[in-house]
Structure formats: structure tokens, C-alpha cells
Amino acid sequence: MNRRAPQYHPDLMTDMYHPDSAYVSWRTGLNGLTTFDLYTRTAPFGGAYLLVAGLEFALEFVQAFHYTPDELRFLAQIRDYDSAFLDELAHMRFTGEILALPEGSIAFPNEPIMRVTAPFREAILLEAGLVQSINLSTLIATEASRIVFAAEQGHPRRVAEFAFRRAQEPLTVARASYIGGCSSTSLLLAAYEYRLPATGTVPHALIELFPTEEEAFEAIAEAYNRYTLLLDTYDPRQAIHTAIGVALRSQETLGHTLAAVRLDSGDIAADSKYIREQLDKAGLESVRILASGDLDEWKISELLAAGAAIDSFGVGTALGWGSGSVEHDIPGGSLGIVYKEVSYIDEAGNEIPKVKIAGPKSTWPGRKEIYRHPQWKEDIIQLAHEPRPDDYHRLLRPVMRSGEMIPGSLPPLSEIRELAQQNLRMLPLQYRQLTVDTPYPVHFSEGLQALRKQSEQSMGNHMSGITASQDIEQI
């Protein structure tokens, strides 16, 4: 008997401690309106910025969040929750407010990508699903934008996403890569679901299927009006001469055109220059040279610096899981997004700022807004009630209110990509580099700094009181 494929259960897209926390909240009656900030403390890959993606997934998750009878029975089996608590979960829906940076926005460390305000139990149960939705998409979109930036040095070069077989979440990777600037995907399901351009070449196995490389090339040339040939199954410098002969005959007898050749291994820089010379000598100047094979932004930069005659790139693994670079000691694989409580309104209606004191991991309390200088000279994070700086752009946008989606919050993917590319062009060049010496200036307002200091002092006094009480008890 075949195993059933897992179904989508949004309410179970949590870590175990989230329903456990909700249960303690229920038992104690503490369920005031709570605000959480979703953000990351550092930019990935040694760069300065993040390209925001995944909001559509996050909002779809929130809209779908509810408990079915089967899921509640499951919870009752793994924890001895009170049945009245499970009854509350049965009727729970998100009723709060969400503000977020639109997909395609540029963000910087410590800036809230999303601000969630809801009764505590609703907000805490959404944590893991929201973090997961934004974390991977933003990581991959940022990586794609860096790879495209590296490839476009000198003149425009397309980057195709080839990540399916090594991707953490193939559809997420394809969508985020497109937002980041990739021109196409190799994954047909992604092309179908998101209406993306689909591209691909041929594998080594197809070349090896035939007795000779020439016969393989001829079969491919006969099958398609426009075709691509893979040159490095055996010897790419010999293969290009075979490919040129096949291309000229195919053009003459069938009217079929050699569109591109691909290199996937070997000395790509030197081989590409040799291949370009041979193609030009044969009058095939329009034939493009595509490079692939464990490429990332660093390797692409090195190839182009070495004078490689590459017209476009296919990138797989680096996009599939945002892998960073071992050679350059650049960590990857995760964005490290966090979801931190910053404000709580108690039963009397008093707003209480919430702060975590943990050195570099200390949080900034209060409900916040982000404003950007029109010429991208700085961003200011400030409390929501503080006056807006003159001429600065407000970055957070309301996307859900009273549990309902605000119209226009989920634009088409084509518009998201267009916004992303516009923002990347506006980002000052010094912050687009693969590594940066000086981070983009993000300032915290005086009001926010004062609130943090006040909150830390209040928490310190509280802890001192507890310590003194414990000392008296010991005496």
C-alpha cells in the first residue's frame, strides 16, 4: 500500500511550544492585544540588504489557519489540554492586524519586515508559519539578486534558475528567484503555477545515448527549430568544431538554428574564449554561450574577471538553498528571521512595552514604523506615534485589518518582480556589492532609544527586586 502524501494543515504548521504557550495563556487569562516584530539581525551572504519575498505565502497561511475536528483530536492525544481550551481553538480565526513590507522591497537588518498585532494566543500560534514563509523566500530572492548583479557586470547577461533537484522547496525557490531577477526556471511545475518562462538544454545522458557525439548533435538539431548543444561530455574544444559542422548543415538543409552551446565543467573561462573564437570564425556570432555547474555570485564574478566569453548562466545549488560560499567563508542556508514580542495591552488598556535583554540579541520595544530617505541616505525606525520625518517614505503597509485581507495586498508576480528590480536599481551601488565595508545607515529614533532604555531599567529594577526578595528568604 502506497503511503498517503502529507496534506496541508496550516494550524499544525507550528512548533510544539506554540500551542503549549497558548494553553498557558488560556489558563492564566493573559490574552491582551500583543504586537510582534518579524525581522532579521543581519543581512545574508556578507551583503548589506535583503530583498523581501514570501508575503503572499504568509498571508495565505494566515487566512487558512483554523483547527479541524481531526486536528483537535490529535492535539488531545499528544497533550492533556483542557477540553475547554480545545473548544476555543475550534473557533479561533485570526482577528488582528498585519503591516508588512511589500514583496520586492529592500530591507536592512533590524527593520520589521512584518508587524503583527492580535490577541496573544492568535499571534503566538502564527509565529512559526510566518517566519517560515518569509525566511526562505527572502533568502533566495536576495541570493538571486546578488547572482544577477554579478552576472550583469559589463553588459546584461541572463541567469536561469536550475535549482529543482537540489532545492529545499522548489516552487518557493523558483518564485523567489524570479523576483530576484532570474529570467526563467527549469522546473515545469513552477512555470505552470506562476506563468514563468521555462528553459532548459540537454543532459550528458542524451549525448551518451548515441554512438558518437556528432550523431547526438545531429539528432538534437533535427528535432528542434532552435536548439542548444552541450559541449563538455567529452572534450569541449573538439565538440565545438563538431557542433559548428552540424549547425551549418542543419541551417542549410532544415532551416534549424543553433541558439546556444553550454559548458558545465572544466576550465570554463579558457574554453569559452576558444569556443567564442570558433563560433565567430564560422559566422555564428549570434550563438550564445551558456555556463552552468555549481555556480554562485563569487564564481560568476571570477569567471567574468578572467575574461570568460559567457552570455548567460544557469545556477542551481546556490539558489536551491541559499548556500553561501565555503571558499569565501560566507555562511548561508538560513536567514535567521526572528519574531519578537514588543508590546502588550493589559486588561486595563495600558500599553506595556516588551523587551528582551540579551546583549546583541536584545530587542527594541514598542509598535514601530520605518521611514526611508528619498535618496536612500538612511532609514529611520521609530515609534508609531512619533511624527513622520519630512519627505521620508513610509515603508510598512497595512495588509490585513480585523482579520481581513486589504484589497491590493497581493499584486501579481509580474508586478512584484518589477518593483524588486526598480528598488534594486535605486539602491546605492555601494550597498549592492557582494561584500560591504560599511552597512547601510539604519537609525533608531530618540523616542525609541529612550523607550528601550526605560524598558531595560524597569526590567533591571524588577529583577533586582526579585534577587533582593530571594536574599531575604535565604536569611
Side-chain angles (χ1 to χ4, degrees):
M1 180 177 179
N2 293 329
R3 182 178 179 182
R4 177 180 56 84
Q7 298 178 0
Y8 181 52
H9 298 271
D11 52 290
L12 301 181
M13 294 288 286
T14 67
D15 295 313
M16 187 70 239
Y17 70 26
H18 293 115
D20 281 354
S21 299
Y23 185 54
V24 173
S25 162
W26 178 82
R27 285 179 56 86
T28 58
L30 296 174
N31 194 36
L33 206 61
T34 311
T35 297
F36 286 82
D37 285 346
L38 184 151
Y39 62 97
T40 183
R41 299 183 180 97
T42 59
F45 313 118
Y49 70 93
L50 305 91
L51 181 60
V52 176
L55 179 61
E56 182 172 321
F57 296 152
L59 296 185
E60 288 175 347
F61 161 72
V62 174
Q63 286 187 307
F65 191 94
H66 74 283
Y67 290 89
T68 68
D70 284 345
E71 293 157 357
L72 293 172
R73 282 191 288 271
F74 167 73
L75 289 180
Q77 291 170 359
I78 63 173
R79 277 285 193 272
D80 56 345
Y81 296 132
D82 190 296
S83 60
F85 171 67
L86 297 177
D87 288 341
E88 177 182 289
L89 293 185
H91 298 94
M92 179 178 287
R93 300 291 189 276
F94 182 71
T95 62
E97 173 191 70
I98 298 178
L99 282 74
L101 297 179
E103 289 194 269
S105 298
I106 299 293
F108 301 99
N110 296 309
E111 295 182 340
I113 296 172
M114 182 177 288
R115 192 183 91 192
V116 179
T117 302
F120 178 85
R121 291 196 280 281
E122 293 178 21
I124 198 68
L125 287 168
L126 294 177
E127 174 179 352
L130 292 177
V131 169
Q132 194 276 338
S133 297
I134 302 297
N135 189 81
L136 181 60
S137 288
T138 299
L139 179 78
I140 301 304
T142 305
E143 174 72 316
S145 72
R146 289 165 55 85
I147 290 171
V148 170
F149 175 75
E152 289 183 341
Q153 299 307 298
H155 67 83
R157 299 179 181 86
R158 290 182 290 179
V159 176
E161 174 264 308
F162 284 178
F164 171 47
R165 64 188 65 188
R166 296 187 178 92
Q168 293 186 42
E169 292 188 7
L171 289 174
T172 298
V173 165
R175 181 180 183 276
S177 296
Y178 188 67
I179 292 172
C182 289
S183 60
S184 61
T185 179
S186 64
L187 176 56
L188 289 179
L189 179 58
Y192 173 79
E193 288 289 343
Y194 302 126
R195 297 298 184 259
L196 305 182
T199 55
T201 57
V202 296
H204 294 289
L206 181 62
I207 306 301
E208 295 167 353
L209 179 65
F210 293 85
T212 67
E213 194 170 45
E214 184 173 15
E215 290 174 89
F217 288 178
E218 287 176 343
I220 296 167
E222 290 174 4
Y224 300 105
N225 178 52
R226 290 178 60 82
Y227 58 94
T228 299
L229 297 176
L230 178 61
L231 299 183
D232 67 317
T233 305
Y234 308 112
D235 180 347
R237 298 202 180 198
Q238 179 178 329
I240 187 57
H241 294 286
T242 304
I244 288 171
V246 169
L248 294 176
R249 292 195 299 272
S250 174
Q251 180 68 46
E252 181 67 23
T253 60
L254 301 172
H256 291 184
T257 301
L258 176 62
V261 295
R262 177 163 74 99
L263 293 170
D264 191 59
S265 61
D267 188 344
I268 292 178
D271 288 344
S272 67
K273 288 187 278 188
Y274 177 83
I275 289 165
R276 180 78 271 159
E277 291 175 0
Q278 304 313 309
L279 288 170
D280 292 349
K281 287 180 182 178
L284 298 174
E285 296 90 348
S286 63
V287 176
R288 295 178 295 110
I289 301 176
L290 167 67
S292 59
D294 293 322
L295 298 177
D296 59 22
E297 62 265 47
W298 309 98
K299 294 175 183 176
I300 289 173
S301 295
E302 291 164 3
L303 282 172
L304 296 179
I310 305 298
D311 300 293
S312 55
F313 296 92
V315 180
T317 302
L319 286 172
W321 56 289
S323 53
S325 171
V326 174
E327 295 88 345
H328 294 269
D329 195 28
I330 300 294
S334 177
L335 192 57
I337 281 181
V338 296
Y339 183 83
K340 296 299 181 182
E341 182 180 3
V342 297
S343 176
Y344 182 83
I345 299 178
D346 65 15
E347 293 75 8
N350 301 308
E351 184 169 0
I352 305 168
K354 296 294 182 177
V355 64
K356 173 185 175 181
I357 303 174
K361 292 187 176 182
S362 296
T363 59
W364 290 86
R367 291 160 54 90
K368 306 175 192 69
E369 293 281 358
I370 316 167
Y371 294 97
R372 178 164 293 159
H373 188 278
Q375 276 76 51
W376 295 66
K377 293 182 179 179
E378 66 171 354
D379 284 7
I380 298 176
I381 304 175
Q382 64 181 53
L383 296 170
H385 67 263
E386 292 185 273
R388 175 178 183 164
D390 291 341
D391 299 325
Y392 279 53
H393 303 307
R394 183 191 184 202
L395 299 187
L396 287 172
R397 297 287 184 269
V399 292
M400 293 193 78
R401 186 176 292 125
S402 300
E404 298 294 331
M405 186 87 70
I406 295 175
S409 297
L410 298 179
L413 184 57
S414 59
E415 291 184 14
I416 295 171
R417 174 187 167 90
E418 183 178 347
L419 175 64
Q421 300 313 302
Q422 175 184 333
N423 282 327
L424 288 165
R425 287 191 296 270
M426 293 175 65
L427 178 64
L429 185 60
Q430 68 194 90
Y431 303 116
R432 281 218 68 183
Q433 302 302 319
L434 300 186
T435 55
V436 292
D437 296 324
T438 304
Y440 181 86
V442 176
H443 299 132
F444 298 93
S445 70
E446 291 183 3
L448 182 52
Q449 293 183 55
L451 181 63
R452 182 177 183 178
K453 184 176 181 180
Q454 174 188 336
S455 301
E456 290 176 342
Q457 289 175 343
S458 176
M459 184 59 64
N461 293 337
H462 174 68
M463 296 305 296
S464 297
I466 292 175
T467 302
S469 175
Q470 290 172 344
D471 292 341
I472 291 172
E473 290 176 2
Q474 291 172 0
I475 293 173

